[in-house]
C-alpha cells in the first residue's frame, strides 16, 4: 500500500470517527437538554409553590376571621407582597433580558373568573378551562395543587377553602413564562459550547495519535484485517464514550450548583415570610417566648418542604426557643411540657452553605427595632444527595441510550472499514455478510419508532367532537392508530413471506421502506383522524413487508449453523433502533410538536432506501432455483414439488402446532401480559417513578441487543436446537415464579430480576426461527412464507396477553393469578418437551 493510499485511508477513518463523534454528542445533548429542562422547571415550580401556599394560607386565615372574598380589603397588598417574593434575582438586579410581566398572580373564583390580579387589566376576564383546578371526587372537590403548561406559560394553582366545612371559595394561581427556564438553559448551553469545543479538540487529537500509530500495509490478510478492525472499534468506542461521559458529568455538576442555589433561594423566601409573620406578632406586643403554637407552625412548613432538615427560632442570646425537624418538634419555652415529651433533644448542625439565617426585630418601642432573636433554616444534605442520585441515574440512562446510538453507528462504520483500509478492488469487499442487516434494522426502527410514544396523543389532537369518526368516543378513537398499524402489519407479514420466497428479500424490503416512509409523510400532512388512520395503515403495511423481508435476508444469507446468530443480529438492531428512536421522537415532540416528527421519521426511512442500494446491492440477486440453492437441505427426504403442503397442513403439523401452542403463544402472553401490562401498573402502585420504570424496561432491550448474539451463536451451532427453546421456556417460567416468591421482599428488585430473566429467555427466540427452518415441512412450504405465517399467528399472543392477565387478576386476584400463570407456563413447557 503506497504512502498516499495509507494517508487517504487514515483521512477516511478520521472523517468517519469525527462524524460519529459529532452525531453521538448531538444525540446526547438532545436527550440531556430535555431532561435538564424538565428538572429546572420542577425547581422553579417548587420555589413558586412556597409563595403560593403562603398566599393561600393568608387568605384562608383572613376568611376564617370574617373577611369576605368579594370585598377583601388589603388584597392588593397581599398580591403585591407575593409578587415581590416571586420576582427572580435577575429582575431585582435589572437584567434587561427578563420580561417584567412574565409572573402574574391571579385570585379567581372556582369557575375561573379573575377577581383580583397583579395585572389589573385581566380582572373581570376568565382563565382558560385547561388551566383551572381539576376535580378529584366530585364537582366541588378540587385537587390540592395543580400545575399545567398552556401556550408557553406555566400555571400553578391552589384552592382556597373557607370554614370548618372547607368549602372551595377561590383559587390562587401563579403564572410564569418559560423565559426563566430558557434563560437558564441558554446560559448552560453557552458553557456547554466551550466544553464541547474542548472535548472535540481533545478527541480529535487522540484520534490523530491513534491513527498515526495504526499499521496499514499492503496485502492485508483476513486475520490482520480482523485485528485492525478490533483496534479501530475499541479506540473509537473508548474515545467517544469518554467524550460523552465528560459532557454528562459537567451537566450533573451544573445541576448540583443550580439545585443548591434554588433550594437556598426557596429557604430565603420561606425565612422572609416567617420573619414577616413573627415580627408582626412582636410588633403587637407579644414576647418572643410566648408565641403560641409556633413550633406547630414550623412543623407545618417542614411537612411541605422536603428539602428542609429543620427550622429553629432562638432568642437574642442564641438560646433555642422553638425547633421543628423531620423527626418532631419542640417548644423549649415550656420546660414542664417538654418533660412529658419523649426526649432527647432534636439536634441540628450548621453546615456552611446549607443554612439561612434571618434576624428578628421588635419594632414596637423603637423605630430601628431591637434584636429579639434569630430564625435559622437548615437545608437537608440527605435530600440534596438523593436528588442528585436521581439526576445521576437519569444522566446514566441518557448516557446508555446515547452509547446504544453510537455503538450502532460504529457497527455501521465497521462495514466500511475494509473498503477504506484494504482498497475497493478486493473481491471480498463486494460480498455482503448477514451482519449488514443490523445497522439497516437500527435505522429503520429508529425512524419508525420515533413516533411510537405519542400516536394516541396526536390522534387526540385530530379528534373532532362535532364529527367523531364512526360515532366512536374519543377514548376508543385514540387507540385506533395502533390497532390499524398492527392490523396491516399482520396482513403484510403473510404477503411478504411468499414474496421473499418467489422474488427474494430485496423487493418487499424496498417496497416496505417506500410505503412506510410515504405513510409517515401522509401522517404529517393528515388533516383529520380518518386520513391519519389511512396513513398509519400504509405505515403498517410497509412495516410488515420490510420486517419480514429483513428476516428473509437472514434466511437467504445464512445456513443452519448461523441462522440463529443472524436473527439475533437483526433483533439487536431492531431493539437498539426502537429504544433510541422512541427516546428521540418523544423529545423532539416536546420541542417541535407531534406532526413534524412524522416528517422526520418518514425522511429517515426513505433515505434508508439509498443506503440499502449502496451497502447491500451485492445481496439483491433473485433467489436461485431450489435445486441450486446454497442453503443445506434438511436431513429428511424431500417430497415432490407437487406435494407442497397447504397453510393448514403446515400449521397443524405436529412440531409446528406444539411450537405455537405450547411454546410461542405462552411466551408472548407472559411477555406482553406481565412485562408490558402488569409490571408498569404494579411498579406505579408501589411508588416507583416513571424514570425508574423506563430504566427497568431497558434491561430487556439490552439483553436482546448485546446478549442475544452470543447466546444465538452458541445455540446456532447445536444440532438439537429444541433444547435451547426448552431452556428459554424454563427461564421464562422462572421469571414469573421469581416475582411471586420475592415481591414481598422488594417489589422493584423482583420486577427487575423478572424482566432480566425474560430478556434472557427472549435471547433464545432467534433459535425458534432456526428450529423452524430446519424442519422438512418448512423447506416444502418455503422458508419466508413459513416464518411470516408463524409470526402472524404468534401475534395472537401479543393481543391476548393483557386481556388474559387482566381477567386472571379480576377473577382470582394478583397473587393467585401470578401463581397460576407460572404453573401453567411450566406445564406448557413440559408438554412441549414430551409432544414437540
Amino acid at each position: 500500500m503506497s504512502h498516499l493510499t495509507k494517508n487517504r485511508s487514515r483521512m477516511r477513518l478520521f472523517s468517519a470517527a469525527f462524524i460519529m463523534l459529532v452525531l453521538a454528542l448531538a444525540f446526547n445533548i438532545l436527550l440531556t437538554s430535555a431532561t435538564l429542562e424538565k428538572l429546572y422547571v420542577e425547581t422553579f415550580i417548587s420555589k413558586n409553590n412556597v409563595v403560593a401556599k403562603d398566599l393561600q394560607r393568608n387568605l384562608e386565615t383572613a376568611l376564617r376571621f370574617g373577611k369576605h372574598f368579594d370585598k377583601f380589603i388589603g388584597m392588593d397588598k397581599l398580591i403585591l407582597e407575593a409578587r415581590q417574593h416571586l420576582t427572580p434575582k435577575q429582575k431585582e438586579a435589572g437584567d434587561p433580558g427578563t420580561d417584567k410581566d412574565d409572573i402574574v398572580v391571579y385570585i379567581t373564583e372556582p369557575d375561573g373568573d379573575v377577581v383580583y390580579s397583579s395585572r389589573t387589566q385581566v380582572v373581570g376576564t376568565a382563565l382558560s378551562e385547561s388551566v383551572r383546578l381539576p376535580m378529584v371526587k366530585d364537582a366541588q372537590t378540587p385537587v390540592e395543587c395543580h400545575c399545567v403548561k398552556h401556550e408557553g406559560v406555566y400555571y400553578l394553582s391552589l384552592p382556597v377553602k373557607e370554614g370548618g366545612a372547607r368549602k372551595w371559595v377561590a383559587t390562587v394561581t401563579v403564572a410564569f413564562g418559560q423565559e426563566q427556564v430558557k434563560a437558564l438553559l441558554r446560559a448552560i448551553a453557552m458553557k456547554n459550547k466551550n466544553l464541547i469545543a474542548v472535548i472535540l479538540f481533545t478527541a480529535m487529537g487522540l484520534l490523530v495519535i491513534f491513527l498515526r500509530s495504526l499499521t496499514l500495509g499492503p496485502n492485508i490478510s483476513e486475520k490482520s484485517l480482523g485485528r485492525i478492525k478490533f483496534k479501530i472499534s475499541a479506540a473509537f468506542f473508548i474515545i467517544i464514550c469518554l467524550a460523552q461521559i465528560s459532557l454528562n458529568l459537567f451537566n450533573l455538576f451544573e445541576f448540583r450548583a443550580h439545585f443548591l442555589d434554588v433550594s437556598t433561594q426557596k429557604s430565603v423566601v420561606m425565612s422572609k415570610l416567617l420573619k414577616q409573620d413573627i415580627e408582626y406578632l412582636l410588633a403587637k406586643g407579644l414576647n418572643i417566648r410566648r408565641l403560641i403554637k409556633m413550633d406547630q407552625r414550623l412543623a407545618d412548613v417542614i411537612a411541605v418542604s422536603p428539602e428542609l432538615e429543620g427550622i429553629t427560632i432562638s432568642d437574642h442570646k442564641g438560646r433555642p426557643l422553638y425547633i421543628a425537624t423531620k423527626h418532631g418538634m419542640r417548644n423549649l419555652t415550656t420546660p414542664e411540657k417538654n418533660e412529658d415529651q419523649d426526649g432527647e433533644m432534636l439536634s441540628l448542625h450548621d453546615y456552611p452553605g446549607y443554612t439561612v439565617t434571618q434576624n428578628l426585630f421588635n419594632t414596637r418601642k423603637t423605630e430601628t427595632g431591637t434584636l429579639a432573636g434569630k430564625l435559622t433554616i437548615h437545608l437537608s444534605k440527605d435530600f440534596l444527595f438523593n436528588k442528585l442520585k436521581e439526576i445521576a441515574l437519569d444522566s446514566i440512562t441518557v448516557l446508555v441510550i446515547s452509547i446504544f446510538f453510537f455503538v450502532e453507528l460504529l457497527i455501521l462504520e465497521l462495514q466500511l472499514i475494509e473498503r477504506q483500509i484494504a482498497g475497493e478492488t478486493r473481491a471480498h469487499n463486494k460480498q455482503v455478510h448477514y451482519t449488514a442487516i443490523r445497522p439497516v434494522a437500527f435505522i429503520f426502527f429508529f425512524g419508525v419508532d420515533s413516533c411510537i410514544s405519542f400516536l394516541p396523543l396526536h390522534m387526540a389532537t385530530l379528534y373532532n367532537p362535532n364529527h367523531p369518526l364512526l360515532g366512536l368516543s374519543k377514548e376508543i378513537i385514540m387507540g385506533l392508530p395502533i390497532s390499524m398499524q398492527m392490523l396491516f402489519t399482520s396482513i403484510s407479514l403473510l404477503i411478504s413471506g411468499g414474496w421473499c420466497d418467489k422474488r427474494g428479500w430485496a423487493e418487499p424490503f424496498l417496497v416496505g421502506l417506500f410505503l412506510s416512509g410515504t405513510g409517515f409523510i401522509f401522517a404529517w400532512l393528515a388533516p383529520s383522524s380518518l386520513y391519519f388512520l389511512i396513513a398509519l395503515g400504509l405505515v403498517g403495511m410497509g412495516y410488515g413487508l420490510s420486517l419480514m423481508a429483513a428476516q428473509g435476508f437472514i434466511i437467504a444469507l445464512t445456513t443452519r449453523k448461523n441462522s440463529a446468530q443472524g436473527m439475533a443480529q437483526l433483533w439487536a438492531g431492531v431493539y437498539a433502533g426502537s429504544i433510541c428512536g422512541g427516546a428521540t421522537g418523544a423529545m423532539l415532540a416536546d420541542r417541535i410538536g407531534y406532526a413534524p416528527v412524522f416528517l422526520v421519521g418518514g425522511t429517515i426511512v426513505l433515505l434508508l432506501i439509498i443506503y440499502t442500494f449502496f451497502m447491500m446491492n451485492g445481496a439483491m440477486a433473485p433467489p436461485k432455483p431450489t435445486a441450486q440453492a446454497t442453503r443445506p437441505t434438511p436431513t429428511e427426504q424431500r417430497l415432490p414439488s407437487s406435494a407442497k403442503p397447504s397453510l393448514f397442513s403446515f400449521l397443524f403439523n405436529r412440531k409446528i402446532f406444539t411450537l405455537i401452542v405450547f411454546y410461542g403463544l405462552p411466551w408472548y402472553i407472559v411477555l406482553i401480559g406481565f412485562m408490558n401490562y402488569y409490571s408498569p401498573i404494579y411498579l406505579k402502585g408501589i411508588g416507583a417513578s416513571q424514570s425508574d420504570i423506563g430504566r427497568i424496561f431497558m434491561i430487556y432491550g439490552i439483553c436482546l441487543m448485546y446478549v442475544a448474539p452470543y447466546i444465538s451463536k452458541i445455540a446456532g451451532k447445536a444440532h438439537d436446537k429444541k433444547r435451547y427453546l426448552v431452556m428459554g421456556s424454563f427461564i421464562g417460567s422462572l421469571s414469573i415464579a421469581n416475582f411471586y416468591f420475592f415481591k414481598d421482599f422488594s417489589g422493584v428488585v423482583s420486577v427487575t430480576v423478572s424482566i432480566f430473566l425474560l430478556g434472557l429467555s427472549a435471547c433464545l427466540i432467534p433459535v425458534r426461527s432456526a428450529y423452524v427452518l430446519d424442519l422438512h415441512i418448512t423447506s416444502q412450504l418455503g422458508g419466508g412464507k413459513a416464518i411470516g405465517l408463524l409470526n402472524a399467528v404468534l401475534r395472537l399472543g401479543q393481543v391476548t396477553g393483557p386481556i388474559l392477565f387482566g381477567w386472571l387478576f379480576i377473577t382470582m386476584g394478583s397473587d393467585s393469578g401470578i401463581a397460576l400463570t407460572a404453573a401453567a407456563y411450566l406445564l406448557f413447557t413440559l408438554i412441549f418437551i414430551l409432544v414437540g
Side-chain angles (χ1 to χ4, degrees), residues 37 41 99 102-103 130-131 148-155 175-182 590:
E37 182 175 352
V41 169
D99 180 6
D102 69 345
I103 299 180
S130 60
V131 305
V148 65
K149 183 179 179 182
H150 178 66
E151 296 181 351
V153 178
Y154 295 93
Y155 292 85
F176 61 98
Q178 55 187 357
E179 184 56 36
Q180 296 180 51
V181 180
K182 287 185 176 180
D590 281 337

Side-chain angles (χ1 to χ4, degrees), residues 725-740:
L725 298 181
V726 172
M727 189 185 304
S729 281
F730 273 120
I731 295 174
S733 60
L734 183 62
S735 69
I736 306 298
N738 161 79
F739 176 75
Y740 177 76

